[in-house]
Amino acid sequence: MNPEGWLCDACWPAWPDDAAAEQEERAAIQGEGITPALVPHQMPPSWSDMVITPTAGARCRCCDGSAWWTEATSPKGWRCTCCHPPAGMASTDYRNAP
């Protein structure tokens, strides 16, 4: 059963190494202060740490997509647009990663 609307069965449930991916994204974000983190790196299809905003090099490790979204108000985390699209939400209810 897939109550949260994931399009990709491989994305759900979360992979066991999500913590390692979040650390990699944190390092990429910190590297942006000097040089933009444009090196492609894999991220889980979703994560809840809002401090970790997807960088330009963040790719979904399931579909290799690079588009991410979160709720516009009271964000719960970032999700891959291909694997877990904001289906049924108005465009004003979510925002895309910069």
Side-chain angles (χ1 to χ4, degrees):
M1 180 149 238
N2 184 359
E4 295 190 26
W6 288 87
L7 293 183
C8 176
D9 290 334
C11 296
W12 192 259
W15 291 21
D17 61 344
D18 284 349
E22 287 184 9
Q23 285 181 325
E24 184 178 350
E25 185 68 0
R26 265 190 202 278
I29 291 168
Q30 290 168 350
E32 284 186 334
I34 301 168
T35 305
L38 297 176
V39 176
H41 53 281
Q42 292 187 331
M43 289 298 293
S46 71
W47 63 92
S48 60
D49 188 344
M50 288 306 296
V51 172
I52 301 174
T53 301
T55 60
R59 311 287 300 187
C60 175
R61 67 174 167 218
C62 186
C63 72
D64 201 38
S66 61
W68 306 92
W69 71 274
T70 191
E71 292 83 3
T73 58
S74 301
K76 298 177 184 134
W78 291 97
R79 294 166 221 43
C80 170
T81 302
C82 292
C83 295
H84 192 332
M89 296 177 76
S91 61
T92 55
D93 292 340
Y94 66 92
R95 62 184 172 96
N96 295 313

